[in-house]
Amino acid sequence: SYFSWVSNSPDRVETNFNSGLYFYEINEFSMAENIFLRIYESYNDLTPLQLLKIAICFYEFGNYDCAFKTIKNKKMDSLSHNYEFMITKIRVLNINMEKREAVNQIDFALRNDKFNNHKYELLDMKQRILSNIKEKRNDAKIIFDELYENFENRKMEYSDFLISSMEYYRGEKVQKSFDILIKQYVDTHNQIMLAETLTNKGFDLFWQGKIDDAEIEFNESIVLLESLRIHEISYTLNNLANCFMMKGDYENAINTLKKALYFNESKYVDITVKNNLMICYAII
């Protein structure tokens, strides 16, 4: 694929796309991203579905800027009724702090009869995004409580929303929700969601004041993420640093926050990590 590109071969774009797709499908996102970076601006030679695969790869590997540029390309408008594209667009908008546009996309999808089978997942995504918009947190909680009631009454099987329980509650209800998800993700070998659940479980323990217990959960999550999606380790490292800060161990906190910045690809995490670094430096 490389030699076809540098030699200007007529089939260089297609050759590189197929090569990148091969690595993407075996979860070698770093190699896939390197190849897709050569061709993602060759819009005229790529189909909308090919661009979608490239955007998903960029998102999964943490290259959020390139993912954003790809999903915003006019050529992608033809996929407005493709659910995979819709979900990818929402995720990319959200991670790039375009939260209101992401919510608008969710509302558009919820009005589309074609997406009726994905209603609960879309509502879950909406409450997650709204929970990070200060004046919309109450709206987010209303959605979460409705989902929880449906789940408790066995009106739906969808359970991923439980990962957000610590946004609105503390203690037993939250830990019970996480235990349900941990069992589910262990059974299905979904290590990505297992790592995210462990991070959130630690977050709830942290807010309960159980700092040592929180550290255990954060460290377990970090071990998983180091071999799965290294860029996402920054979220958990930031939380772990908070534990060190609470214990007055500012040197460890600073080292952990620096590591978080090194791997970080998120604008939101960039703000929170630098804020914590500022506090640590001020204290020492």
Side-chain angles (χ1 to χ4, degrees):
S1 65
Y2 172 75
F3 286 119
S4 74
W5 187 255
V6 295
S7 65
N8 237 5
S9 171
D11 63 349
R12 63 190 182 282
V13 174
E14 191 69 20
T15 299
N16 275 268
F17 174 79
N18 290 335
S19 181
L21 186 63
Y22 166 78
F23 288 108
Y24 170 81
E25 289 179 343
I26 62 172
N27 295 322
E28 289 287 351
F29 293 122
S30 179
M31 183 68 78
E33 184 208 26
N34 286 337
I35 295 170
F36 285 151
L37 279 171
R38 293 180 200 144
I39 63 171
Y40 85 104
E41 290 185 336
S42 301
Y43 298 126
N44 293 334
D45 298 313
L46 291 163
T47 68
L49 286 174
Q50 286 176 322
L51 285 170
L52 174 57
K53 288 292 185 186
I54 291 173
I56 293 171
C57 176
F58 285 153
Y59 173 80
E60 295 285 3
F61 194 65
N63 191 337
Y64 301 129
D65 286 337
C66 287
F68 185 76
K69 290 176 186 176
T70 306
I71 62 114
K72 295 291 280 186
N73 183 269
K74 290 292 183 185
K75 201 168 186 178
M76 304 292 271
D77 291 346
S78 63
L79 298 178
S80 60
H81 295 292
N82 179 302
Y83 187 68
E84 188 176 29
F85 168 69
M86 183 62 64
I87 288 294
T88 302
K89 186 175 183 181
I90 293 165
R91 287 171 176 162
V92 171
L93 288 169
N94 180 49
I95 204 71
N96 281 283
M97 304 300 284
E98 300 285 343
K99 293 183 178 296
R100 296 188 187 279
E101 189 178 348
V103 171
N104 289 339
Q105 289 295 318
I106 292 172
D107 288 338
F108 168 78
L110 286 168
R111 292 192 297 268
N112 191 328
D113 292 339
K114 190 172 182 180
F115 299 146
N116 279 344
N117 291 339
H118 304 284
K119 173 185 174 182
Y120 295 127
E121 182 180 7
L122 288 165
L123 286 171
D124 179 20
M125 293 187 74
K126 185 174 182 178
Q127 67 85 15
R128 292 192 199 200
I129 296 171
L130 291 178
S131 71
N132 286 305
I133 302 174
K134 185 177 180 181
E135 64 273 20
K136 296 291 184 180
R137 279 188 61 81
N138 189 56
D139 295 339
K141 185 177 183 299
I142 289 170
I143 296 172
F144 177 87
D145 286 342
E146 289 176 354
L147 290 170
Y148 194 88
E149 184 178 351
N150 284 332
F151 182 75
E152 283 277 276
N153 295 330
R154 301 183 185 276
K155 292 181 180 179
M156 71 177 197
E157 294 183 1
Y158 180 80
S159 60
D160 285 350
F161 78 97
L162 290 170
I163 204 165
S164 297
S165 57
M166 55 87 188
E167 291 284 350
Y168 316 105
Y169 298 98
R170 289 285 172 262
E172 186 178 348
K173 182 175 183 176
V174 177
Q175 294 299 312
K176 177 184 173 185
S177 295
F178 290 146
D179 288 342
I180 291 171
L181 290 179
I182 288 170
K183 183 180 185 307
Q184 174 183 314
Y185 297 140
V186 169
D187 290 345
T188 58
H189 306 289
N190 190 340
Q191 291 189 303
I192 291 294
M193 289 305 297
L194 176 59
E196 184 178 344
T197 305
L198 290 169
T199 293
N200 283 17
K201 184 176 184 181
F203 196 77
D204 175 64
L205 291 167
F206 176 87
W207 280 105
Q208 290 185 59
K210 300 176 180 178
I211 307 302
D212 291 336
D213 292 337
E215 270 191 57
I216 291 170
E217 303 298 335
F218 293 147
N219 279 315
E220 284 189 29
S221 178
I222 288 166
V223 169
L224 288 171
L225 289 171
E226 281 179 332
S227 61
L228 294 169
R229 293 181 185 171
I230 193 68
H231 65 283
E232 289 191 7
I233 204 172
S234 56
Y235 295 88
T236 314
L237 286 169
N238 179 67
N239 291 342
L240 181 61
N242 274 281
C243 293
F244 293 138
M245 291 167 71
M246 291 295 290
K247 295 160 83 169
D249 187 354
Y250 297 106
E251 293 294 342
N252 252 335
I254 289 170
N255 290 335
T256 304
L257 290 165
K258 285 181 176 179
K259 185 176 179 181
L261 275 181
Y262 180 80
F263 289 108
N264 176 52
E265 296 288 347
S266 164
K267 294 175 183 177
Y268 170 76
V269 175
D270 187 67
I271 293 167
T272 58
V273 169
K274 287 179 179 176
N275 184 68
N276 283 333
L277 269 175
M278 175 186 68
I279 294 168
C280 290
Y281 287 137
I283 289 172
I284 66 170

